[in-house]
């Protein structure tokens, strides 16, 4: 690899590098001994008038504490914390007076919090600092638990109101069923939130822990001596350990990259699948992730939409060929010779979308291709043959009360046209997966005639199937398709799974148009972001000009003229 490859790896694994640096800083805090002073070594113990004891607390979670660190001083000086500390120490006076002797000092650079007490007695200073540190942690724990209980109570009230609304819906028509289904889905989301809060309550308030108990040292006045190995040496040690930690983090990042087998980049994808990457779809914006929407229709000028238009061009113009075998097997023809004999498929009408595993973006790519084909006047039928986890109807805005599984279970006594439904995209029809079935694999052998029938009703037929390495359904559908489109997700699909999928496609000898690489890091996305900014600026300028024209032509402006 060249130096640029190493820089790309460090950029991709920056969390590992930064984490190692933080571990080094924490190690510096833990192992750095208290700095002695010349006055401490020369003055006898009888001259020490006060002792300073500091208990060090460390924030253990990656999320911030439930309260600002500046408020910790208020908690330590008044309220329940001084009362709990006074009870632990057996202090008979006013707890608030005891709290006035405590200083809480957060250190943003190291992520630690010091609880300091100054007292004439060394043992009393140590015990007081430790008692306040424990009381402060216990108070934050109870505070966090109370906050979680309050949120759970609010969510439970939402569930009760949701159930009342559901019970108020009467009727058995389709609208009532959709309303009940929507309320059930909302209730499921609220219940999941309650479960997450209840799980988090097991660690509520554990953001802080005692990193180092208090140790009493003489409290020296300012200018009472020169510290040996003072602050400059301490900062030097911090810097050295930080550099060492970052170096170890860089080495660990390279090691992780070496053993990470997930596909990254166009070259790695093409080498593993032995197919060309026909389009690279950039990662969607965070606000759009998880939504069931057709990005090409919602944002037709985006980089994502343009990537799927490139897929449309590849489907219409590029030839499809079977995947070459990885190596020559005795008794089989030479792969190069076999590839030359295979007639390429051009402008296919029946496309099967396949992926190695779930979550690769197969259904998302299918519905976006359907839109780009429809916008150039091609009629499209989408067959949702993923009977195990159908999602195409969610993207296309179609309810799925009856579909392919019902038609096949009825022995094809129902024509295919009767289950086709118009979608939110003009020119695209959907044959939903239909009712769930206990034996979806048994229905796949009956899909072939339906595919041929669909090809007579539209220009293009797009078939959505389960992941090829999870279920055998996709293999059963391959003989019915003219070509296949392979979908992988960069940074998620493993090299081993990609090679297994390539071997499967090679054995089935199904022509493949190429690979759709989802969530790819492509430089072209910057161009579309700049173009989008220019469009927004142009719209704002046009609106401003329109407002000025309206102001000039208003009756008041004409009278003034």
């Amino acid at each position: 690899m060249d130096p640029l490859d190493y820089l790309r790896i460090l950029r991709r694994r920056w969390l590992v590098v930064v984490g190692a640096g933080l571990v080094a800083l924490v190690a510096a805090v833990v192992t750095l001994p208290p700095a002695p002073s010349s006055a401490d070594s020369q003055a006898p113990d009888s001259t020490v008038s006060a002792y300073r004891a500091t208990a060090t607390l460390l924030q253990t979670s990656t999320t911030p504490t439930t309260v600002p660190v500046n408020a910790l001083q208020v908690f330590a000086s008044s309220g329940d914390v001084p009362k709990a500390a006074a009870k632990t120490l057996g202090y008979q006076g006013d707890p608030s007076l005891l709290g006035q002797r405590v200083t809480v000092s957060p250190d943003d650079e190291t992520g630690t919090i010091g609880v300091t007490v100054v007292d004439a007695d060394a043992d009393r200073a140590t015990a007081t600092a430790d008692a306040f540190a424990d009381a402060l942690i216990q108070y934050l724990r109870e505070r966090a638990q109370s906050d979680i209980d309050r949120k759970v109570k609010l969510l439970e009230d939402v569930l009760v109101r949701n159930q009342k609304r559901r019970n108020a819906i009467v009727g058995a028509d389709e609208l009532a069923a959709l309303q009940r289904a929507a309320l059930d889905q909302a209730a499921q989301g609220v219940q999941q939130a309650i479960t997450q809060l209840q799980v988090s309550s097991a660690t509520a308030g554990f953001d802080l822990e005692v990193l180092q108990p208090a140790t009493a040292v003489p409290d020296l006045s300012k200018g009472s001596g020169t510290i040996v190995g003072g602050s400059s040496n301490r900062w030097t040690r911090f810097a050295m350990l930080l550099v060492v930690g970052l170096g170890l983090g860089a080495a660990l990042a390279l090691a992780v990259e070496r053993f990470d087998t997930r596909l990254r980049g166009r070259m790695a994808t093409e080498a593993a699948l032995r197919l060309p990457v026909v389009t690279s779809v950039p990662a969607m914006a965070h606000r759009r992730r998880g939504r069931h929407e057709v990005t090409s229709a919602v944002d037709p000028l985006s980089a994502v939409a343009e990537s799927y238009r490139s897929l449309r061009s590849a489907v219409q113009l590029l030839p499809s060929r079977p995947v070459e075998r990885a190596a020559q097997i005795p008794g089989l023809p030479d792969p190069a010779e076999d590839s030359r004999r295979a007639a390429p498929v051009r402008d296919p009408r029946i496309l099967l979308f396949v992926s190695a595993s779930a979550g690769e973006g197969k259904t998302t790519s299918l519905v976006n291709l359907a839109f780009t084909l429809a916008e150039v006047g091609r009629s499209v039928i989408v067959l949702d043959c993923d009977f195990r986890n159908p999602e195409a109807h969610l993207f296309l805005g179609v309810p799925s009360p009856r579909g392919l599984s019902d038609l096949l279970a009825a022995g094809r006594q129902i024509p295919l046209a009767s289950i086709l439904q118009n979608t939110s995209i003009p020119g695209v029809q959907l044959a939903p997966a239909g009712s769930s079935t206990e034996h979806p694999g048994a229905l796949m052998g009956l899909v072939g005639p339906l595919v041929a029938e669909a090809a007579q009703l539209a220009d293009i037929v797009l078939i959505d199937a389960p992941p090829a390495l999870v279920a055998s359904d996709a293999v059963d559908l391959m003989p019915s398709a003219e070509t296949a489109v392979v979908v992988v997700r960069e940074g998620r699909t493993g090299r081993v799974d990609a090679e297994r999928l390539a071997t499967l496609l090679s054995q089935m000898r199904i022509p493949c148009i190429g690979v759709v690489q989802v969530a790819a890091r492509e430089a072209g996305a910057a161009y579309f972001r700049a173009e989008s900014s220019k469009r927004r600026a142009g719209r704002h300028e046009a609106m401003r000009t329109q407002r000025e024209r309206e102001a000039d032509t208003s009756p008041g402006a004409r009278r003034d003229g």
Side-chain angles (χ1 to χ4, degrees):
M1 292 188 297
D2 57 26
L4 288 179
D5 292 331
Y6 288 106
L7 291 178
R8 293 189 187 99
I9 293 174
L10 295 180
R11 178 184 177 184
R12 188 161 54 242
R13 305 288 182 180
W14 66 271
L15 285 176
V16 177
V17 180
V18 173
L22 293 178
V23 170
L25 288 179
V26 173
V29 174
V30 174
T31 60
L32 193 64
S37 65
S38 57
D40 189 23
S41 59
Q42 295 174 3
D45 293 342
S46 59
T47 63
V48 178
S49 59
Y51 291 88
R52 178 183 297 271
T54 301
T56 304
L57 306 181
L58 178 67
Q59 184 175 327
T60 57
S61 70
T62 56
T63 57
T65 56
T66 55
V67 295
V69 291
N70 294 332
L72 298 180
Q73 178 65 53
V74 179
F75 295 154
S77 303
S78 60
D80 295 334
V81 174
K83 293 179 182 179
K87 183 177 181 181
T88 302
L89 296 171
Y91 182 76
Q92 300 299 325
D94 187 0
S96 60
L97 296 178
L98 184 63
Q100 298 301 322
R101 299 163 54 188
V102 178
T103 302
V104 178
S105 54
D107 189 343
D108 296 334
E109 294 181 354
T110 60
T112 59
I113 299 174
V115 180
T116 303
V117 175
V118 178
D119 198 283
D121 184 80
D123 294 336
R124 189 164 57 235
T126 302
T128 304
D130 289 336
F132 271 85
D134 295 336
L136 184 60
I137 293 175
Q138 182 62 30
Y139 174 77
L140 293 176
R141 180 181 305 168
E142 295 172 355
R143 180 187 178 94
Q145 184 62 51
S146 176
D147 184 63
I148 291 176
D149 294 339
R150 179 181 58 81
K151 292 179 180 179
V152 170
K153 179 62 171 61
L154 292 175
L155 292 176
E156 289 175 347
D157 293 340
V158 172
L159 281 179
V160 172
R161 293 195 298 269
N162 186 291
Q163 185 62 37
K164 290 181 179 179
R165 291 178 58 190
R166 191 185 189 283
N167 294 337
I169 299 174
V170 298
D173 57 339
E174 183 177 347
L175 179 59
L178 289 175
Q179 291 175 341
R180 284 191 290 268
L183 291 174
D184 291 341
Q185 185 176 4
Q188 183 179 3
V190 174
Q191 187 60 51
Q192 291 177 353
I194 293 176
T195 303
Q196 292 176 356
L197 287 172
Q198 291 173 343
V199 171
S200 64
S201 66
T203 57
F206 288 87
D207 287 344
L208 294 177
E209 68 175 13
V210 177
L211 177 64
Q212 184 176 1
T215 302
V217 296
D219 184 29
L220 303 175
S221 59
K222 295 181 179 179
S224 60
T226 302
I227 298 177
V228 179
S231 60
S232 61
N233 289 339
R234 297 166 71 89
W235 283 112
T236 300
R237 181 170 179 176
F238 274 123
M240 292 177 59
L241 286 176
L242 178 60
V243 171
V244 172
L246 293 177
L248 292 177
L252 181 60
L254 295 176
V256 171
E257 184 72 18
R258 173 65 179 82
F259 292 101
D260 187 0
T261 60
R262 291 176 294 180
L263 296 180
R264 299 185 188 277
R266 178 185 293 262
M267 295 179 61
T269 301
E270 292 179 343
L273 287 165
R274 305 192 294 279
L275 284 171
V277 174
V278 294
T279 187
S280 295
V281 183
M284 295 184 183
H286 289 282
R287 67 180 183 277
R288 295 191 181 278
R289 295 180 185 177
R291 298 181 182 178
H292 291 97
E293 64 180 18
V294 184
T295 306
S296 299
V298 176
D299 192 2
L301 298 179
S302 63
V304 174
E306 195 61 31
S307 299
Y308 286 116
R309 291 190 184 97
S310 298
L311 175 60
R312 177 191 66 196
S313 300
V315 169
Q316 294 177 333
L317 302 176
L318 297 181
S320 302
R321 293 182 182 273
V323 180
E324 294 184 358
R325 295 183 176 89
Q328 176 65 16
I329 302 176
L332 293 178
D334 179 70
E337 182 65 24
D338 192 20
S339 175
R340 285 192 294 268
R341 287 201 303 265
V345 177
R346 295 184 180 274
D347 196 11
R349 300 184 61 237
I350 304 174
L351 283 75
L352 174 66
F353 277 71
V354 296
S355 65
S357 57
E360 305 281 357
K362 170 175 52 63
T363 304
T364 302
S365 299
L366 182 146
V367 295
N368 277 276
L369 176 61
F371 173 81
T372 59
L373 288 169
E375 71 177 353
V376 295
R378 306 291 292 270
S379 60
V380 182
I381 289 180
V382 176
L383 300 181
D384 191 353
C385 295
D386 190 353
F387 300 144
R388 305 172 190 271
N389 185 28
E391 287 188 336
H393 65 283
L394 301 176
F395 286 91
L396 298 174
V398 173
S400 183
R402 187 178 65 170
L404 293 173
S405 62
D406 305 284
L407 189 151
L408 296 174
R412 293 204 59 206
Q413 297 178 3
I414 307 172
L416 176 63
S418 64
I419 65 170
L420 291 178
Q421 301 188 41
N422 294 325
T423 67
S424 58
I425 303 174
V428 178
Q429 291 183 299
L430 171 68
S435 306
S436 60
T437 175
E438 296 182 356
H439 304 288
L443 302 178
M444 288 300 169
L446 308 175
V447 175
L450 290 180
V451 175
E453 184 179 350
Q456 302 299 322
L457 301 176
D459 298 331
I460 300 289
V461 177
L462 304 180
I463 307 174
D464 192 11
L469 300 184
V470 176
S472 62
D473 303 0
V475 178
D476 296 333
L477 291 169
M478 287 180 187
S480 303
E482 295 181 3
T483 188
V485 179
V486 182
V487 181
V488 300
R489 180 175 292 274
E490 182 172 342
R492 178 166 183 171
T493 306
R495 183 180 296 109
V496 175
D497 288 344
E499 292 174 350
R500 289 176 55 198
L501 178 59
T503 301
L504 176 62
L505 295 173
S506 175
Q507 292 173 345
M508 294 300 298
R509 305 307 294 158
I510 178 174
C512 297
I513 190 65
V515 180
V516 177
Q517 192 176 26
V518 179
R521 296 183 178 180
E522 294 293 333
Y527 168 78
F528 284 95
R529 286 194 295 269
E531 185 184 18
S532 179
S533 300
K534 293 178 181 178
R535 289 197 304 270
R536 288 195 299 268
R539 287 196 300 268
H540 294 161
E541 180 65 22
M543 292 173 62
R544 185 179 66 82
T545 304
Q546 181 65 22
R547 287 195 297 268
E548 292 177 353
R549 291 177 179 175
E550 292 176 355
D552 293 339
T553 58
S554 63
R558 288 196 297 268
R559 285 196 300 270
D560 294 341

